[in-house]
Amino acid sequence: AVRPFYTMPDPEDNRFSNSYDIFIRGQEICSGAQRNHDPDLVEEALKAKGIEPGAGLEAYIKSFRDGVYPHAGAGIGLERVVFLYLGLDNVRKASMFPRDPNRCTP
């Protein structure tokens, strides 16, 4: 799957994931997914993507071993919605602190 390691794979076909994107006028404005809450599946996904679980990821995986309910999340790109609503020519014009390769801080 092309999604990050923490996205829950489809239980019937691992080519897919339990995730979605919402588009308006061809622009993605929201992305969401069921998070992978099974520590063994998280480790398998990391291995499949060639990621070594350093100290930070080991703590992340341990938290799942301690117990976590199935959960999901979504994030809406408010700047993208404003950009489309106002008909702006660049999404950075809808952001208070736009970022690009030459500007990573406000």
Side-chain angles (χ1 to χ4, degrees):
V2 296
R3 293 287 184 167
F5 71 88
Y6 51 80
T7 301
M8 181 63 85
D10 181 305
E12 296 176 10
D13 189 341
N14 67 2
R15 296 177 302 157
F16 301 102
S17 63
N18 293 348
S19 59
Y20 63 90
D21 294 317
I22 297 174
F23 289 80
I24 293 179
R25 298 185 201 146
Q27 294 287 324
E28 178 188 334
I29 61 154
C30 183
S31 184
Q34 178 184 3
R35 302 299 187 231
N36 192 340
H37 59 276
D38 180 319
D40 295 327
L41 283 177
V42 172
E43 288 177 328
E44 286 177 28
L46 287 169
K47 188 175 183 179
K49 292 185 181 288
I51 300 172
E52 288 291 325
L57 288 177
E58 287 173 359
Y60 177 77
I61 294 167
K62 182 186 179 308
S63 70
F64 293 124
R65 292 203 191 288
D66 293 336
V68 65
Y69 288 99
H71 60 288
I76 188 164
L78 187 57
E79 289 94 349
R80 293 181 187 198
V81 173
V82 171
F83 155 75
L84 292 167
Y85 183 77
L86 296 177
L88 300 173
D89 64 337
N90 191 312
V91 70
R92 289 186 293 169
K93 291 180 179 176
S95 176
M96 185 178 280
F97 301 109
R99 295 182 180 176
D100 62 38
N102 297 316
R103 180 183 175 176
C104 293
T105 60

